[in-house]
Amino acid sequence: MTANTSYSPIHVVGGGLAGSEAAWQIAQAGVPVILHEMRGVRGTDAHKTDGLAELVCSNSFRSDDATSNAVGVLHAEMRLAGSLIMQAADRNQVPAGGALAVDRDGFSAAVSAAIDSHHLITVVREEITGLPPKDWDLAIIATGPLTAPALAEAIRAETGADALAFFDAIAPIVYTDTIDMDICWHQSRYDKVGPGGTGKDYINCPMTEEQYNAFVDALIAGDKTGFKEWEGTPYFDGCLPIEVMAERGRETLRHGPMKPMGLTNAHNPTVKPYAVVQLRQDNALGTLYNMVGFQTKLKYGAQAEVFRMIPGLEKAEFARLGGLHRNTYINSPTLLDSTLTLKSRPGLRFAGQITGCEGYVESASIGLLAGRFAAAERKGETPVPPPATTAFGALLNHITGGHIVSDDEPGKRSFQPMNVNFGLFPPLEPGALTKPDGAKRFRGKEKALAKKQATASRALSDCASWLAVPARKTA
């Protein structure tokens, strides 16, 4: 789109997935943008580089199935909206069964190159220590889960929030050539072939019942990172440390990240593993694999000792051990309006994980929406939120108003980060589901799948219609 040089720039604070996507959407709308990123001047506890959109946890964007999976629907909607994050992910994918996983270095490099080369985007490497000044009449804060303390305190002072943080943990990465493939084997769960995959995209490490029980005992007993600095900060249930899951019950892991279902040991096909540890390819070369679901707060020495108890990883060498970092988010349902604007300060929007969404794609999608809303406002148009029937709208509605506060505990902070899921979508209209021709019955799994498929189809249709609606000038 042709730029209107009379537009004043919009300022975006934070060069993670949400901030990069917001800046891209603004620039693609023909409006100048200044992207402020502190890495390069000041680092964080989790980032390793100063690249834009660096992935600090998993390298997976999760399911890419747009027919019956909510995150896959969000992928598809972002592609429809010209998402930079999805373009970079698609160009740097690595095999991961039915998931979309990326080479993390190639992905970050692609986002950085696109941002740096866009003629309407200026990247400024500096730390923003307070709320944007008033002469930044339109700005987006997208500083993510690792917001610097000074800015977090400024946000706290403006919003009156009583809590901004929770803990998030990251999983270790193993050098592929140190995995014993005489014990382990390649297979995706149920042999599922995903984008760029073969059905053999994970490395699987089998455990007997005795090995599993010893492993659980070691996890629980292992030396862990202390909590004095951030005591009282809760975990997000979608990213629990592996040892915290183990503490919740001996069988928890076997029905979670270590479930053996859909897997057959290639070395011993007749014996079903009691539990399985999966590793997923982490880079395009295939030289690194990350331990799926093994985010941890174990201290480094304990990690190496405990994780080498896993069959096939006895001699594993780690390119990165797991870690624990503080995550930051605001009480969005109370503080933000339907276009992500801070109610107490018009013109200032929030985007990404700081709003209380969870996950790479969710974070980027909220950045996409914030960027579109801000660009529309700059151009004198009325920002129009996406329909609630879309993945965009379902996630946005949860963040800005879909959360129910318990009447039994007035004033208690209960809003928690959320991944996109079909539970956030409005119910289907009456009659939307019909029994397939020739089917004798229509219930259970068949009906549940049909419901997901109909919800996904409706979402993509409504998203396409929303994107095609001409902008309306503000009256």
Side-chain angles (χ1 to χ4, degrees):
M1 180 177 291
T2 302
N4 184 332
T5 55
S6 66
Y7 292 138
S8 299
I10 296 172
H11 294 261
V12 177
V13 182
L17 278 79
S20 296
E21 186 65 66
W24 182 259
Q25 293 292 326
I26 293 166
Q28 289 295 90
V31 176
V33 56
I34 299 175
L35 178 60
H36 305 262
E37 169 53 50
M38 75 174 185
R39 285 178 296 120
V41 175
R42 172 180 176 154
T44 76
D45 293 334
H47 288 90
K48 303 299 183 185
T49 76
D50 61 3
L52 300 177
E54 179 186 342
L55 306 181
V56 299
C57 295
S58 167
N59 69 323
S60 175
F61 283 27
R62 311 192 325 276
S63 175
D64 202 40
D65 176 10
T67 65
S68 59
N69 186 286
V71 74
V73 174
L74 189 56
H75 287 179
E77 290 184 8
M78 292 177 70
R79 290 181 178 115
L80 287 174
S83 165
L84 171 63
I85 294 303
M86 290 308 300
Q87 290 174 24
D90 288 337
R91 291 171 184 167
N92 290 277
Q93 71 174 23
V94 296
L100 173 61
V102 303
D103 179 311
R104 65 180 71 232
D105 294 331
F107 169 78
S108 175
V111 173
S112 298
I115 293 290
D116 289 338
S117 63
H118 201 296
H119 69 289
L120 288 179
I121 302 177
T122 301
V123 179
V124 178
R125 298 283 180 169
E126 63 179 351
E127 181 183 359
I128 303 298
T129 57
L131 292 182
K134 292 295 177 68
D135 60 343
W136 293 7
D137 62 324
L138 288 180
I140 298 171
I141 293 178
T143 45
L146 299 172
T147 298
L151 179 55
E153 183 53 40
I155 294 169
R156 187 194 307 274
E158 173 69 24
T159 61
D162 57 356
L164 283 172
F166 68 97
F167 285 113
D168 203 1
I170 57 180
I173 295 176
V174 178
Y175 288 107
T176 311
D177 59 6
T178 67
I179 301 171
D180 187 348
M181 296 307 297
D182 288 333
I183 296 173
C184 306
W185 75 97
H186 286 276
Q187 184 187 10
S188 301
R189 203 175 296 280
Y190 300 108
D191 300 308
K192 188 169 183 178
V193 177
T198 64
K200 297 182 178 181
D201 302 329
Y202 292 78
I203 291 177
N204 301 278
C205 309
M207 279 189 179
T208 64
E209 182 174 2
E210 181 181 4
Q211 289 169 331
Y212 174 79
N213 285 324
F215 180 69
V216 169
D217 289 339
L219 280 176
I220 294 172
D223 196 10
K224 302 169 182 69
T225 303
F227 293 92
K228 291 182 181 179
E229 185 178 353
W230 304 309
E231 190 171 358
T233 304
Y235 290 113
F236 166 55
D237 276 346
C239 197
L240 284 176
I242 191 77
E243 61 278 2
V244 172
M245 285 189 272
E247 290 168 354
R248 293 189 171 187
R250 182 156 294 272
E251 292 293 292
T252 301
L253 294 178
R254 210 170 72 83
H255 293 279
M258 295 177 64
K259 60 180 178 285
M261 282 74 79
L263 297 168
T264 301
N265 188 339
H267 303 296
N268 197 354
T270 62
V271 177
K272 186 74 174 178
Y274 189 76
V276 173
V277 174
Q278 285 198 307
L279 294 93
R280 178 178 55 230
Q281 187 174 331
D282 197 79
N283 65 345
L285 294 174
T287 55
L288 300 174
Y289 272 69
N290 62 63
M291 301 177 68
V292 178
F294 269 61
Q295 54 274 359
T296 181
K297 65 184 181 71
L298 288 172
K299 289 186 176 180
Y300 284 174
Q303 286 184 50
E305 181 179 346
V306 173
F307 294 151
R308 286 181 182 134
M309 293 175 64
I310 299 170
L313 300 187
E314 293 91 345
K315 297 181 180 179
E317 296 295 331
F318 298 93
R320 183 190 72 190
L321 287 165
L324 181 72
H325 62 262
R326 188 170 112 163
N327 209 336
T328 303
Y329 67 101
I330 62 175
N331 196 3
S332 295
T334 300
L335 300 173
L336 304 183
D337 71 10
S338 62
T339 68
L340 299 165
T341 300
L342 191 63
K343 294 175 183 177
S344 65
R345 186 168 164 183
L348 178 59
R349 287 181 167 83
F350 283 79
Q353 282 186 266
I354 198 169
T355 66
C357 61
E358 178 62 23
Y360 292 145
V361 181
E362 290 88 340
S363 176
S365 72
I366 298 302
L368 183 151
L369 293 177
R372 282 177 166 261
F373 294 155
E377 188 172 344
R378 173 63 81 218
K379 295 164 75 173
E381 300 164 1
T382 301
V384 178
T389 51
T390 64
F392 282 145
L395 189 59
L396 179 65
N397 284 354
H398 169 75
I399 290 169
T400 62
H403 179 68
I404 298 175
V405 178
S406 172
D407 293 333
D408 297 332
E409 299 178 281
K412 182 177 175 59
R413 168 78 174 252
S414 56
F415 175 62
Q416 290 288 309
M418 179 70 73
N419 293 116
V420 68
N421 63 81
F422 282 125
L424 301 181
F425 289 66
L428 292 166
E429 298 76 10
L433 282 184
T434 57
K435 186 170 69 173
D437 292 339
K440 293 183 178 180
R441 64 177 190 172
F442 188 43
R443 62 188 181 194
K445 292 182 179 179
E446 293 85 359
K447 188 171 184 179
L449 178 58
K451 183 178 178 181
K452 290 178 180 179
Q453 291 171 337
T455 302
S457 177
R458 179 186 65 177
L460 294 177
S461 175
D462 289 354
C463 181
S465 297
W466 172 66
L467 291 168
V469 172
R472 300 195 306 270
K473 288 292 182 180
T474 302

